[in-house]
Amino acid sequence: MPSEPTEPIASTPSTASTPSTASTAPIVSTASGEPPESPTATAHTELTPDGYDALSRDIRLLGRLLGDVVRQQSGQETFDLIESVRRAAVTGRRNSTSSVAELEALLGPQSLDRVLDVIRAFDWLSLLANTAEDLHVERRRRHHLSVGTEAQPGSLEATLDELLGDDVDPALILDVLDDLEVSPVITAHPTEVRRKTILDVLSDVDDLLDRLDRLGENDRRRADELRRLGACVLTLWETAILRLSKLRVQDEINEALRYYEASLFETIPRLTADLERLALDRLGAAPSDTSNTVNMGSWIGGDRDGNPFVTADVMRLAIGRQAAIALGHHLRELLRLSVELSMSSRLVTPTPELLALAEASGDDSPFRGDEPYRRALRGMYARLYAFAEDVIGDAVTTLSLPAPRIPRARYAHLNELIAELDTVTASLRSHGAGELAAVSVEPVQRSLATFGAHLCGLDMRQNSAIHER
């Protein structure tokens, strides 16, 4: 998680009588008039055209909108108190003096409700500032890509270059890559306070800041985007930041699995593809198999060490949910391919193997008579759907996916599906559509090889006293 800004920023009183929804409210700096400091803003200021100006601008905007909401919802006195607390804390840190006495004098006489509003204001500002920092990291990444800067420290490219620069034998590096297996393990955090509701709103804030960043200062659409951003901040202020109870194990399972759809399904196959490409470029050969280079793991639902709620039924639930997430993803990808690969046999000549797959699908729709790829992929979808029914049973209906119009026998193993997709890629290349194979089909194959029907390994942990007994 990005580090929280050391100096929260709040809005100053607006001259308007209603919360600002456009750019009329003043944007306030920190006590010294300088941009907010960030522990991450020390070594990379030169990496974007405006250094950290964009980050400072975003944090100031969010602080101003939050200040407007506080003033409207809790009153001017509460807003003034928040500003006084901020100034006292910032001044004390800047001057390396203690501000405890001044803070006690400010907060001591206040009612509990008002003190809680102060706490909530700084809670929300920290989360909003972290969201702005996340966006700025992505902004810098896009900048590096657009201007073609050298490989960044910690990247695969920079690591390989450093090893080769130290005269490490390329054959040795390739041997290590062949055996490399990294297993990130997702663990349970029953005390996690950020609710999915809040994370969803913060995701909207990220999207709106990004859109604002792409609009010119005089673009008429800015007012609407600012109004939506203000509505997000208002939603956060009126949403409880804490749950009423701790997460159940079932909730922890679902909380962790959402990261696959959010990023892991896309990121991990792309990472292994980058590794193969860089190895081929730098070492002259690619690793023989990268399907297990990143092999996800989880403790959630298998960690019985000190958690009496992790039972056999909970473990079954965890495994079933993991399988449903994986198979649902694969099925959606096949549906996507069945729409994208619209090549007509009147215009291209697919391989006999691809035509055989199309014929075996049983899809005799006259609308797809000249579209063998679509027919073949619909047949693959039907076989994978039958496989999913066999693995997760009635839970297949929870995936919100259409049942195949023409049922087919299930795959015995997902390797059969990967092999049939090989047939698709070979056929595409045969008539000059190799780029489609690389962009659309190969990522699906990588995902199948990496996540399979299990999604990730489930580690079983148990207190050693149980084993001794």
Side-chain angles (χ1 to χ4, degrees):
M1 177 185 296
S3 54
E4 296 179 0
T6 56
E7 297 176 13
I9 305 193
S11 165
T12 54
S14 170
T15 56
S17 58
T18 57
S20 168
T21 55
S23 57
T24 55
I27 298 177
V28 182
S29 66
T30 56
S32 67
E34 298 174 0
E37 295 180 4
S38 170
T40 60
T42 55
H44 303 287
T45 304
E46 75 284 357
L47 296 182
T48 58
D50 58 354
Y52 273 74
D53 290 347
L55 174 59
S56 298
R57 181 194 64 220
D58 287 344
I59 294 177
R60 292 173 194 279
L61 172 60
L62 293 171
R64 174 168 61 83
L65 293 173
L66 179 60
D68 289 341
V69 168
V70 170
R71 190 183 303 105
Q72 181 201 43
Q73 299 288 310
S74 300
Q76 185 68 43
E77 289 186 17
T78 298
F79 172 82
D80 291 340
L81 176 62
I82 293 168
E83 271 292 272
S84 297
V85 168
R86 181 188 66 78
R87 291 193 190 99
V90 170
T91 301
R93 189 186 62 79
R94 285 189 180 277
N95 298 333
S96 299
T97 59
S98 174
S99 56
V100 173
E102 186 176 358
L103 292 172
E104 286 179 345
L106 286 168
L107 296 171
Q110 306 299 329
S111 68
L112 179 59
D113 285 343
R114 182 159 288 173
V115 171
L116 287 174
D117 278 346
V118 173
I119 293 170
R120 291 174 63 232
F122 286 108
D123 273 343
W124 288 125
L125 186 61
S126 293
L127 287 174
L128 288 168
N130 278 355
T131 301
E133 284 192 336
D134 285 344
L135 174 62
H136 196 65
V137 170
E138 174 60 19
R139 188 184 285 138
R140 284 170 47 203
R141 187 188 72 84
R142 289 198 301 249
H143 174 72
H144 285 306
L145 293 174
S146 66
V147 301
T149 56
E150 63 183 19
Q152 296 304 297
S155 66
L156 289 174
E157 186 176 6
T159 301
L160 284 177
D161 288 345
E162 185 174 353
L163 289 169
L164 293 172
D166 290 339
D167 295 326
V168 178
D169 185 357
L172 175 60
I173 300 174
L174 194 59
D175 285 343
V176 171
L177 291 178
D178 276 329
D179 295 332
L180 183 64
E181 183 174 327
V182 180
S183 185
V185 177
I186 297 177
T187 60
H189 292 281
T191 57
E192 171 63 73
V193 297
R194 291 188 299 171
R195 303 162 55 193
K196 183 179 184 299
T197 298
I198 292 168
L199 294 173
D200 288 343
V201 177
L202 290 175
S203 177
D204 291 339
V205 169
D206 181 279
D207 291 341
L208 287 164
L209 287 175
D210 196 26
R211 288 206 289 271
L212 281 167
D213 193 45
R214 297 166 187 266
L215 295 177
E217 287 298 324
N218 298 319
D219 195 306
R220 298 182 196 177
R221 293 170 291 180
R222 287 187 66 84
D224 286 338
E225 300 300 329
L226 285 165
R227 190 172 294 114
R228 293 188 182 96
L229 189 58
C232 287
V233 176
L234 175 59
T235 299
L236 291 173
W237 183 257
E238 294 192 345
T239 299
I241 196 169
L242 298 175
R243 297 182 177 91
L244 290 175
S245 61
K246 290 183 178 181
L247 289 175
R248 301 169 299 174
V249 179
Q250 295 93 320
D251 299 320
E252 294 169 12
I253 293 168
N254 291 327
E255 285 283 298
L257 293 180
R258 65 184 175 83
Y259 290 107
Y260 284 88
E261 292 290 357
S263 62
L264 295 175
F265 279 139
E266 176 185 358
T267 303
I268 293 177
R270 187 173 62 199
L271 181 68
T272 56
D274 287 345
L275 179 62
E276 291 180 12
R277 174 181 55 80
L278 286 168
L280 190 61
D281 180 59
R282 300 296 199 275
L283 310 176
S288 56
D289 181 12
T290 58
S291 60
N292 285 315
T293 300
V294 180
N295 190 9
M296 295 298 299
S298 175
W299 284 358
I300 308 174
D303 183 4
R304 302 185 182 195
D305 187 4
N307 190 342
F309 300 107
V310 177
T311 63
D313 286 339
V314 167
M315 178 173 283
R316 291 189 188 96
L317 173 67
I319 294 171
R321 287 290 296 131
Q322 290 175 191
I325 293 293
L327 292 170
H329 173 73
H330 301 324
L331 284 165
R332 277 184 282 275
E333 289 294 279
L334 289 183
L335 276 182
R336 176 182 63 80
L337 289 178
S338 73
V339 173
E340 287 183 6
L341 301 184
S342 55
M343 298 80 213
S344 170
S345 56
R346 290 179 291 161
L347 302 173
V348 301
T349 304
T351 62
E353 293 78 10
L354 188 283
L355 293 173
L357 280 179
E359 190 64 28
S361 70
D363 185 351
D364 56 0
S365 169
F367 301 107
R368 290 183 289 276
D370 67 329
E371 297 174 338
Y373 288 96
R374 282 182 164 172
R375 292 168 56 210
L377 283 157
R378 286 173 182 268
M380 296 179 207
Y381 177 85
R383 295 192 67 188
L384 182 59
Y385 194 94
F387 180 93
E389 285 181 310
D390 195 52
V391 172
I392 60 177
D394 292 339
V396 73
T397 60
T398 67
L399 300 179
S400 300
L401 289 165
R405 187 173 65 86
I406 303 173
R408 294 194 64 203
R410 68 186 288 273
Y411 289 112
H413 193 282
L414 291 187
N415 284 342
E416 293 181 54
L417 173 56
I418 295 173
E420 289 186 351
L421 288 172
D422 278 335
T423 298
V424 173
T425 60
S427 182
L428 287 170
R429 292 191 181 99
S430 73
H431 53 75
E435 191 64 17
L436 275 175
V439 170
S440 294
V441 184
E442 289 178 6
V444 180
Q445 292 178 284
R446 289 182 182 278
S447 189
L448 282 161
T450 298
F451 300 107
H454 66 291
L455 187 70
C456 62
L458 182 64
D459 292 359
M460 289 188 66
R461 300 179 70 244
Q462 183 61 279
N463 190 295
S464 60
I466 302 298
H467 298 303
E468 291 172 6
R469 186 166 68 245

